[in-house]
Every structure is written in structure tokens, then in C-alpha cells.
Amino acid sequence: MMRAQLHCLCLLTLYLTAGYGQERKFSGPLKPMTFSIFEGQEPSQVIFQFKASPPAVTFKLTGETDGIFQIQPDGLLYHNKALDREIRAVHKLQVSTLDAYGATVEGPVPITIEVKDINDNRPTFLQPNYEGSVRQNSRPGKPFMYVNATDLDDPTTPNGQLIYEIIIQLPKINDVMYFQINNKTGAISLTLEGSRELDPIKNPSYRLVVSVKDMGGQNDHSFSDSTSVNIMVKENIWKAPEPVEIVENSTDPHPIKITQVQWNEPGAQYSLVEKEKLSTLPFSIDQEGGIYVTQPLDREEKDSYVFYAVAKDEMGKPLAFPVEIRVKVKDINDNPPTCPSAVTVFEVQENEDIGSNIGTFIGHDMDEENTANSVLVYKIVDQIPKLPKEGLFLVQTYSGVVQLAGQSLKKQVTPQYNLTIEVSDKDFKTLCHVEINVIDINDQIPIFEKSDYGNLTLAEDTAVGSTILTIRATDTDEPFTGSSKILYRIIQGDSEGRLGIDTDPHTNAGYVIIKKPLDFETVAVHNIVFQAENPEPLVSGVNYNTSSSAKFKLIVTDVNEAPQFSQSIYQAKVREDVAVGTKVGNVTAKDPENLDISYSLRDNTRGWLKIDPATGEIFTTAPLDREAESLYRVQVMATEVGGSSQSSIASFHLTLLDVNDNPPRLAKEYTGLFLCHPLHQEGTLIFEVTDDDQRSFPSPHFSYSLVSESSRNDWEVSRVNGTHAKLSTKHTNFEEGLYSVPIRINDGGRPPLEGVVSLPVTFCTCVEGHCFQPAGHQPGMPTVGMAVGILLTTFLVIGIILAVVFIRIKKNEGKDTVESAQASEAQPLRN
């Protein structure tokens, strides 16, 4: 009894100390309630104070108390031991109220106690050591084993969230990790480097140390565990097989198995992938990895195939990189030789030496090159005609070179031969046709029809392009060949190339034409010698002689020609301020007949120049002005003195160079400059300045100053840019009216010139930003009285004019009536 009282006193002390006496927060009537309590807390913790309603006098607790939860008669619910969520996460309790006789007044009412988790359990691996294996070249990222750990804490809280990590890899080559782990699932797979570098011969096994942490690995107070993982590296059997050879056009039943691939583990799904786009891939693969050819192959259509075998898991994901399959189609002799064309044509010159190569005959075979199936043998089996004898030609057995064998040929005897050549491989024979044309050689020289074409007289002004003579030579070589075609050239008498000769390709006639103007004064007589030649070289021992040349004499007669200037346009430059009489240029002309020449000027519109008629020197006769005309153009006429007085014209262009001879001035007339009166602040006006002289720099260098002292007291002027300046007031005390401001402008030239301008400025009353001036009588404008008088006088004149017109109309009407009556009296009566 004493112990119970002591225990009750301790609870009451804890209850009062902890502040659980606040009814609105820690006490209340009996009703269904849920409480959350962290596990591991100290015992004798008050949970809630229930209030009983009369006639209830005490409380009763039942349910999953586990000897931990108790309730006092006054309704104080508490636990006397620390809770453990891993033993029981939820306690289902019932509370009832009893009266003094022990009868139930209210309840049982459900009370739920939820035990909240704290991190009081460390994660542990299911095994202290793990064993696994992996094939070399396995696909990176595909798991090949798992490690697992458990944690008794609540998995829905960070306390039970586990993170895996590889902390040691042995051996670790070049500090590169070959393995990786999924930090949430514990799945171990290869890295990209591991997929490439693992080799069971170099390192057959690896040891990993894997750690696991709770609290998501993000808390310094998290618990951890570690385990050892031993991994064996197995040889990769997923590799490309050796290249396969398949005999073309096989007659065996298809499909035919040709090779095999195999994934490292059973259950893989196999497929083939093309490397190059084909209309049909003639291969297939079964689910055991067997690869088959599905139809006969033709090497001449395609001599090799490259494709890939792919292994996938049950989810359709690749297990590793595809492996390459190479197939070579093996040739059989299934193609006969073919001729290069229906007829092969060769040419041979007559008189060729025995043994000379005529040409190379090359047959074709579609079978594989450099094998016995494609080795060709050549043989001549027929010659037409057999003149002058049979066996004039032979062909090299393997090279196909056709040679002249019997004797030299003559085109006049037989111009053409036809050969039949047998082309064979080890199984087939083909007959081909060769045509050999005998070509004439250039063993005949051209011979002129006559050696002297006599004399020809032409005026020196005969038109260029005129045909002046036809010449002709003949050649007995084969017509329309390089051996019989004739080219003519002048070898003597025309050193300046004034003549040319064109050949008619059909008749070999030569037409002598004028290529450049003839000139009596240079050469009056040309002794021309022609040479006739072939474009093909003559055969050895044959040379051109005098029969291949001819001559004629060209006599040029004189024609009176106009003088000729040395150039069509003469140009000169001079300063515009040169003195009158200065020589500015010189022109020269020459008369072909060596007559004297007189010079004169035309289009000398400004009269600035004159020319010495004898020497052609040009002088100034008046001051020049570049601003009036910067490029002065005149025409110079050269006329023969004597003879027929022929003349010719050239141009003379005189460029005038500028000098600074024009003072600056205002760019326009300024009549509307104004400032509003009265001034409230200093006013500013902008004006533009120009200079008629030429400027060699981008913008003029004008400077400005005020002329008078009085102006300088009221105004100031300054430069804005190359062409504009600013006039500003220096105070605001101006009277209304017109001011003329004199300004001196310096152009900064060499020598400098100054100009004084007067800038009118009006001070006036402004209305809406415009100058307003009241209307008044101005000179030349009528007054109001004068305007009324003018208007009345105008009306009076108009009235007089109308009256006169009216009276004349009336008089004309009366006259017409009288004439009409007289005409009626004179007209005879008609029945």
C-alpha cells in the first residue's frame, strides 16, 4: 500500500512538472483518440488525462497493453516502460469508465497508440561474403549480381533508407573503376571501362568491399555495414566468328547453316541487323544462335556481305555489343569470256615493219580476277581476205597484243582486213571480230598547179578581209586525211603579216586575204613566196621541194590619206590661275604623204585656248576659271596643206586645278531668322556657309568672328561643324526689331580668303512659336478707301460695256427685219 501511494505521488509530481495539467491540451472527456509516441523514451511518461462524467468514478484499461500502458483511477493514462517499434508498431487499447459498483458507465472507447520510429537499428548485409561472376565484354550497366542489406527501422522514414557504395576495388588498375553499383538496389554491373578492359587472362578475379548506410547516407549519425564481394571473370564467348566462304550458285537445299554465335548465358534472343541497305538479306538466325544462308548467292552480283548478330534479353534490351559476321562468296567458273565490242577497230600504216604492234585486244570475264576462272587465252582463227597471203597477223596468247607478222601492207592492194579471234578460259570459248584498216602514209608532197601567179596591183585602202588571190596545190595521198590536207603559209615578202591564207577543207584551194591594212608609204612592192605543207609529217626520206612553193608580186598603189594623230585624246593639267599665254599642251599629227599640216581648234566655246597652226602647241588666251568649268574639252583639227586638204580630228582635254580664289559666303539667303521677344534666355540661330573652291579634305575649315565691337558686345559666333555655325546672344536685353549682324568668315585656304556677310535677325512677338507682326499699310498696297473706289469704278465700266452690247443687238435685229421684208417683195409668186 505504501509503494502504491509512493508511485502515485511520483506520477502526480511528473504530471504537474511537465505541465500536463492544461486541460484544453492534455486532458479532456473520454472519446476515441490516437496518440503518436517515439520509441525508446523514458518510462512513466504521461499520455493523457481523461475526465469522467458522473456517475462514473474510476477508469479501466484493456487491450494490447503488453504490461506497458496503465491508467489511474482519475483517468491519467501513461506508459511505464520504453516503447519499441520493432516489437509492436501500433497498440490497440480500450478505456472504460465505471461507477462505484464497478458497472460500466461509458466505453470501452478505442484508444490507438502509434509508436514512431527512431534510428536505433543498424543495417546488416544478408551475407558476410558474396560470390559472383561476369563475362568479359558484357554490356556496361547490366547487373550481373546483387548484394542485399536489411534495416529493422521504418523503411518509410530516412531511418530505414539504405544507400550502397563500392569503397574498395582490388586490383584497381590505373585508378580506374571497372565495377559500379546501383546505390538503391545493390545491383552490381560493369562500367564502360570494365566492359572494355576485363580480361580473365590478365586478372581472373576481383574483390570488392561494398558498404551500406541508413539515413540515405546523408547524416553523420547514420549506421553502416560492409561486406566482401568476390567476382570471377569468365571468358566472353559472345564474339565474332571467323569469316565464312560460300560457293556461289550452290544447288544444295537451302537454308544452309554457315556459322554459329552464342551468348554467355542461356535464354538470349538472337536477331540479325544489316550493315548496308539491301533489298533482301539472304541470311537468317535461329534462337540457338545458328546462322543460315537462305538462297543461292551470285558472286558477280555481290561478292561479300557484312552484317551483325544481336543478342537481347527477355525485355528486348541488348545484352552486349553486336558481333560482326563476314561472308565471302567464292567464285566458280560460270561466266564465258565476252568481247569488248561487236567489232574492235585497229589502224595500221602502210609500210609498217614486221613485228609492229597494231593494238591490244582485251576480252572480259566476270569471274573473280586473278583466279584460274578469269585467265583468258587469245588465238586468231580466221583472216579475211587472205591477200597477199594468210597469216599476216598474230596475237599474243595472254596479253592480246595484235602484231604485224607476215609483211608490210599496201593500202592500194588491200585497204581493210577482218580477223576472228577466239577468246577462251578453262571452260568457255567466245569468238570476237577485229577490223584492221590500212592507213595511207604521208609519202607524197603537195605540188602547186603553177609556180608563178604573176603580178597583182591593189590600192593601199583595199578593205581588210578582202580575198585578193586563189592558189591551188594537189596531193596524191589518201583524200581527207592529214597526209593529203594542205596548209599554206607565206615564207617570204610579208614580214609585217599583212596577208593571210585560208584553206578550203574540201578542195584544198587557198584564198589569200588582207589581214592588216596595206601601206604604200611603208612597202610599195611585196614579192610573196608561198609554201604548201601537210599537217602530218612526211615519212623519212621524203622532203618538200620547189614544187611545193609558188610566188606572186603584189604592187600597192598610193591613195591620198588624211593626217593621222599620234593619239585620239590628249590630256593636260594646269592651275586655273596661270597667266594668259601659258603653253598648256601640244598635239602632233603626221600626213602619210608627208604633206605639211595646219592645226586649228573647234568647240572652243569659252575662247580660253589657241593653237599654233604650224607646231600644234596650245596656249591660253584668257583667264581660266575652274568654278565655271573644271574640265575644258576642245577638238583639234589637222588639215593637209596642199593635196586634197583632207583632215582628221583629235580631242584635247584640259583639267583645271583649283586655287583658292573664292571667299566664303552664306549657302543661301537668310530672311526668316527670328528670336521671340522678350528673350527669357540666351537665343541661338544656326546658319550654313559654303565656298565655291574645290576642297581636298572631307570638310571645310571655316573660322568665324564678329566684325564690330558693338556686335561683339551683343553676340557671339562659333563653329558647329565643317559647313554650319552658331550665332548666339550674350544677353536678353534686346528691343523688338530687325538686327543685321556682320560676320567675318575665313576659309583657311592657301592663301586664306575672308568674306564678310550680314545675317538679318528679327526680334518679334511670337504666337505658337511663330513670329507675329500686325498688319499695316505697306508700300504698293492700297488703302481701304482706295479699294472701295477701285471696286465701284470696276462695276461702272462693266455696266457701260453691257449697255453698248445690248443697243447693238437691238439695232441688228431691226435691220434683219427690213431686209427680210424687202426680200419678200422682190420674190415672184409661184403657182
Side-chain angles (χ1 to χ4, degrees):
M1 181 67 179
M2 192 69 165
R3 293 176 63 186
Q5 290 177 351
L6 181 61
H7 182 65
C8 180
L9 181 60
C10 290
L11 286 177
L12 180 60
T13 302
L14 179 62
Y15 169 66
L16 294 177
T17 303
Y20 286 100
Q22 300 175 8
E23 292 186 2
R24 62 192 179 109
K25 191 171 184 181
F26 300 108
S27 63
L30 180 62
K31 60 181 180 179
M33 298 184 72
T34 298
F35 299 96
S36 295
I37 302 174
F38 280 104
E39 66 174 333
Q41 289 188 357
E42 294 293 328
S44 301
Q45 295 287 329
V46 174
I47 300 173
F48 196 77
Q49 172 71 63
F50 290 104
K51 301 285 186 168
S53 299
V57 296
T58 186
F59 288 85
K60 178 182 177 182
L61 178 66
T62 58
E64 299 172 345
T65 62
D66 293 344
I68 298 174
F69 299 96
Q70 293 183 353
I71 191 168
Q72 294 293 326
D74 61 355
L76 185 67
L77 179 65
Y78 64 96
H79 62 89
N80 55 21
K81 295 181 182 179
L83 303 181
D84 190 344
R85 191 200 66 83
E86 286 70 41
I87 296 177
R88 189 188 295 275
V90 179
H91 294 263
K92 301 290 186 179
L93 308 177
Q94 295 86 36
V95 177
S96 304
T97 59
L98 306 177
D99 60 14
Y101 302 101
T104 300
V105 177
E106 186 178 1
V109 174
I111 302 298
T112 301
I113 305 295
E114 296 177 346
V115 182
K116 297 182 68 175
D117 186 50
I118 64 173
N119 191 23
D120 57 347
N121 292 278
R122 64 173 293 186
T124 57
F125 279 100
L126 300 183
Q127 300 175 209
N129 294 286
Y130 287 83
E131 303 289 335
S133 64
V134 63
R135 294 277 183 182
Q136 68 177 136
N137 304 125
S138 293
R139 182 162 61 90
K142 180 175 176 56
F144 60 85
M145 67 177 297
Y146 289 82
V147 294
N148 298 98
T150 60
D151 191 315
L152 295 177
D153 290 319
D154 187 355
T156 63
T157 67
N159 302 329
Q161 292 181 2
L162 305 183
I163 296 296
Y164 297 93
E165 181 184 7
I166 297 175
I167 57 176
I168 297 175
Q169 170 190 299
L170 297 174
K172 192 174 184 181
I173 301 169
N174 296 327
D175 200 31
V176 176
M177 293 295 293
Y178 291 166
F179 302 90
Q180 58 188 353
I181 191 168
N182 186 308
N183 64 356
K184 291 184 174 58
T185 65
I188 298 176
S189 62
L190 294 180
T191 63
L192 181 61
E193 293 78 6
S195 175
R196 293 172 177 171
E197 301 297 334
L198 280 187
D199 187 343
I201 297 177
K202 296 179 180 178
N203 290 291
S205 65
Y206 288 82
R207 178 173 175 267
L208 306 179
V209 176
V210 179
S211 75
V212 62
K213 291 183 179 181
D214 60 14
M215 299 297 289
Q218 303 298 318
N219 195 308
D220 292 338
H221 303 290
S222 60
F223 294 112
S224 65
D225 192 15
S226 63
T227 187
S228 176
V229 180
N230 296 315
I231 300 174
M232 298 296 297
V233 181
K234 297 181 179 180
E235 181 184 4
N236 179 26
I237 60 175
W238 178 249
K239 58 181 64 176
E242 294 295 323
V244 179
E245 283 193 354
I246 301 176
V247 176
E248 67 172 332
N249 297 321
S250 172
T251 58
D252 295 338
H254 288 73
I256 301 172
K257 185 174 181 180
I258 58 174
T259 190
Q260 174 80 37
V261 294
Q262 183 179 350
W263 176 242
N264 298 309
E265 307 293 342
Q269 299 176 1
Y270 301 100
S271 60
L272 298 181
V273 177
E274 299 177 61
K275 182 177 182 180
E276 50 190 346
K277 288 295 180 182
L278 301 174
S279 57
T280 302
L281 182 67
F283 302 94
S284 64
I285 188 170
D286 61 21
Q287 289 312 302
E288 302 300 324
I291 298 176
Y292 300 81
V293 59
T294 59
Q295 65 187 45
L297 305 180
D298 187 352
R299 192 204 67 83
E300 286 70 44
E301 180 180 325
K302 187 170 179 59
D303 61 358
S304 65
Y305 295 84
V306 179
F307 52 94
Y308 295 101
V310 179
K312 297 182 180 180
D313 61 16
E314 64 278 1
M315 303 301 294
K317 295 182 178 180
L319 292 167
F321 296 107
V323 294
E324 187 177 72
I325 311 297
R326 290 185 171 271
V327 176
K328 179 182 179 182
V329 184
K330 191 174 181 181
D331 185 50
I332 62 174
N333 191 23
D334 58 347
N335 291 280
T338 59
C339 305
S341 59
V343 178
T344 301
V345 179
F346 293 135
E347 292 182 341
V348 58
Q349 287 188 342
E350 59 181 352
N351 296 330
E352 281 281 0
D353 295 331
I354 295 175
S356 297
N357 290 347
I358 298 173
T360 301
F361 182 83
I362 301 177
H364 299 287
D365 195 312
M366 294 183 64
D367 291 315
E368 186 174 3
E369 294 182 4
N370 303 318
T371 66
N373 298 331
S374 61
V375 174
L376 301 181
V377 175
Y378 302 93
K379 182 174 69 172
I380 296 175
V381 296
D382 193 16
Q383 169 193 314
I384 299 175
K386 298 177 174 58
L387 297 175
K389 65 178 183 178
E390 193 172 4
L392 291 175
F393 307 93
L394 64 83
V395 62
Q396 297 289 341
T397 304
Y398 292 102
S399 67
V401 174
V402 180
Q403 294 176 294
L404 188 61
Q407 64 182 56
S408 297
L409 308 178
K410 287 292 183 181
K411 182 178 177 67
Q412 290 80 3
V413 176
T414 305
Q416 185 181 89
Y417 292 89
N418 292 287
L419 305 180
T420 301
I421 296 181
E422 179 187 271
V423 186
S424 60
D425 60 19
K426 67 177 185 177
D427 297 313
F428 299 97
K429 295 180 180 180
T430 303
L431 296 179
C432 300
H433 301 285
V434 175
E435 179 183 294
I436 299 178
N437 295 316
V438 182
I439 301 173
D440 181 43
I441 60 174
N442 193 15
D443 56 357
Q444 302 295 321
I445 64 172
I447 299 176
F448 271 100
E449 60 182 356
K450 54 184 177 181
S451 61
D452 191 344
Y453 283 86
N455 299 338
L456 180 63
T457 301
L458 295 175
E460 64 176 329
D461 61 352
T462 302
V464 172
S466 300
T467 300
I468 61 174
L469 181 65
T470 300
I471 59 177
R472 190 183 305 274
T474 57
D475 191 311
T476 58
D477 286 315
E478 183 180 359
F480 307 110
T481 66
S483 299
S484 62
K485 183 179 179 180
I486 298 176
L487 300 178
Y488 300 95
R489 64 188 181 95
I490 298 173
I491 60 175
Q492 185 177 323
D494 185 25
S495 59
E496 296 184 356
R498 298 182 185 273
L499 302 181
I501 306 175
D502 293 336
T503 302
D504 187 320
H506 301 289
T507 66
N508 270 342
Y511 302 103
V512 182
I513 61 173
I514 297 178
K515 291 173 59 180
K516 296 180 181 179
L518 303 177
D519 189 359
F520 170 82
E521 288 74 24
T522 303
V523 180
V525 178
H526 298 266
N527 293 305
I528 305 297
V529 178
F530 306 117
Q531 175 79 26
E533 299 173 347
N534 301 127
E536 285 286 336
L538 296 172
V539 297
S540 177
V542 179
N543 299 299
Y544 296 106
N545 55 38
T546 56
S547 300
S548 300
S549 62
K551 66 180 180 179
F552 88 102
K553 180 181 289 186
L554 175 61
I555 301 171
V556 181
T557 60
D558 187 32
V559 174
N560 189 18
E561 300 168 275
Q564 297 176 354
F565 280 98
S566 60
Q567 57 195 73
S568 59
I569 298 177
Y570 295 84
Q571 296 182 345
K573 294 181 181 180
V574 68
R575 287 167 55 95
E576 64 175 325
D577 61 347
V578 297
V580 174
T582 300
K583 178 182 174 181
V584 295
N586 190 79
V587 298
T588 56
K590 182 180 179 182
D591 185 71
E593 290 75 36
N594 291 322
L595 297 176
D596 291 336
I597 295 174
S598 176
Y599 298 98
S600 61
L601 294 182
R602 298 174 60 182
D603 297 334
N604 188 15
T605 54
R606 295 187 180 272
W608 284 352
L609 302 176
K610 68 177 181 179
I611 190 168
D612 187 313
T615 65
E617 295 176 308
I618 300 174
F619 301 89
T620 62
T621 59
L624 307 179
D625 186 358
R626 189 205 65 84
E627 287 69 39
E629 193 164 355
S630 60
L631 179 62
Y632 191 55
R633 299 178 178 89
V634 296
Q635 289 186 331
V636 183
M637 178 180 290
T639 306
E640 293 177 341
V641 178
S644 57
S645 299
Q646 293 199 67
S647 62
S648 57
I649 293 176
S651 296
F652 180 75
H653 294 172
L654 181 62
T655 300
L656 302 185
L657 303 178
D658 186 52
V659 297
N660 194 26
D661 56 352
N662 290 279
R665 60 179 176 82
L666 293 176
K668 60 182 178 180
E669 185 178 358
Y670 287 93
T671 58
L673 296 178
F674 70 90
L675 293 172
C676 294
H677 185 273
L679 281 178
H680 298 293
Q681 60 183 8
E682 294 181 357
T684 299
L685 298 169
I686 303 296
F687 61 93
E688 185 180 359
V689 175
T690 188
D691 189 328
D692 295 324
D693 289 316
Q694 183 181 17
R695 293 292 170 181
S696 59
F697 37 82
S699 60
H701 288 177
F702 294 122
S703 60
Y704 308 87
S705 62
L706 295 169
V707 176
S708 64
E709 183 66 31
S710 59
S711 297
R712 287 194 287 272
N713 292 332
D714 297 333
W715 305 89
E716 63 181 358
V717 63
S718 59
R719 185 175 184 271
V720 175
N721 56 31
T723 58
H724 291 76
K726 176 173 66 175
L727 180 66
S728 305
T729 62
K730 299 180 72 173
H731 57 80
T732 58
N733 300 323
F734 288 88
E735 296 182 359
E736 192 170 3
L738 177 64
Y739 291 78
S740 292
V741 183
I743 301 173
R744 179 182 290 107
I745 308 172
N746 188 302
D747 64 5
R750 297 180 181 177
L753 291 181
E754 291 184 347
V756 176
V757 300
S758 182
L759 196 65
V761 181
T762 300
F763 285 84
C764 59
T765 302
C766 291
V767 177
E768 296 182 353
H770 298 282
C771 186
F772 172 76
Q773 292 179 336
H777 177 67
Q778 298 181 12
M781 295 292 292
T783 63
V784 175
M786 291 174 62
V788 173
I790 292 170
L791 187 60
L792 292 175
T793 302
T794 302
F795 287 146
L796 180 60
V797 172
I798 292 173
I800 294 172
I801 294 171
L802 291 175
V804 172
V805 172
F806 180 76
I807 293 170
R808 293 195 65 179
I809 291 173
K810 285 294 186 179
K811 289 178 69 177
N812 287 338
E813 287 180 354
K815 182 178 179 181
D816 291 341
T817 303
V818 172
E819 290 177 353
S820 176
Q822 291 175 352
S824 298
E825 291 175 359
Q827 184 174 6
L829 295 176
R830 295 178 181 270
N831 291 328

